[in-house]
Amino acid sequence: GDSVTQMEGPVTLSEEAFLTINCTYTATGYPSLFWYVQYPGEGLQLLLKATKADDKGSNKGFEATYRKETTSFHLEKGSVQVSDSAVYFCALTANTPLVFGKGTRLSVIA
Amino acid sequence: NAGVTQTPKFQVLKTGQSMTLQCAQDMNHEYMSWYRQDPGMGLRLIHYSVGAGITDQGEVPNGYNVSRSTTEDFPLRLLSAAPSQTSVYFCASSKGQFGGQPQHFGDGTRLSIL
């Protein structure tokens, strides 16, 4: 079945550091790919999405590019802030309910 | 905008008790779903619905029942609570069934079974 694998956390970075969170997927067909973010004590919020190969999703300084050849959707940000501390989930849907990765906890220290 | 509203936010039950977790959305979304979130496990789909009167099982449906009598509401019932059901439960809704439609999540219900 469809699956998402993302890098294990936690990830701890200093403010203004570069962030990469790796995500790879296995799916039949042509899935849509998402990154969701969960701040402490809250539900998940959509961060960005891409619906076809080579699409780049972006929001709040975060970016991810849909790479069909490597089945990847890595999340990047050039300069993280303390307010970016959260859990990040990669997810996909291929005409199925959303399938999530296990999440990566990011802590940014001042 | 209320979005997706879950009640209660916290609940403690004893083994064997039953309860219903409520979920309501005011966006006229056809698709609704329930997930549970456990440490190191991500979110796992319990049940979902593609419209009023239609429900289907997800990855971990055992011990849970759902019904969808209206577009707005999608309650999750625990018939006989077990400690293994201690978790954080999230309800979500989206406009379309699947595909590129983003899902909107509630703030969660934190459930402890003693």
Side-chain angles (χ1 to χ4, degrees), chain B residues 47 62 65 76 83:
Chain B
H47 285 285
N62 292 341
N65 275 359
L76 178 71

Side-chain angles (χ1 to χ4, degrees), chain A residues 36 38 46 49 89 93 96 102, chain B residues 37 40 90 98-100 102-103:
Chain A
Y36 282 83
Q38 183 181 30
L46 178 66
K49 71 173 186 178
F89 292 92
T93 175
T96 58
K102 293 184 177 181
Chain B
Q37 183 179 26
F90 288 100
F98 304 130
Q103 294 207 38

Side-chain angles (χ1 to χ4, degrees), chain B residues 10-78:
Chain B
F10 303 93
Q11 184 70 50
V12 178
L13 293 178
K14 295 181 179 179
T15 297
Q17 287 184 314
S18 63
M19 82 160 292
T20 299
L21 280 62
Q22 301 292 343
C23 175
Q25 53 91 8
D26 61 359
M27 298 172 282
N28 200 32
H29 285 171
E30 299 99 339
Y31 179 80
M32 297 185 73
S33 54
W34 277 101
Y35 292 86
R36 58 178 290 172
Q37 183 179 26
D38 301 294
M41 300 294 290
L43 278 81
R44 293 181 291 171
L45 182 67
I46 304 172
H47 285 285
Y48 65 98
S49 168
V50 299
I54 306 171
T55 64
D56 206 347
Q57 296 181 348
E59 180 185 356
V60 289
N62 292 341
Y64 307 94
N65 275 359
V66 292
S67 60
R68 183 95 180 271
S69 56
T70 67
T71 300
E72 294 79 19
D73 301 300
F74 191 43
L76 178 71
R77 282 182 285 277
L78 282 71

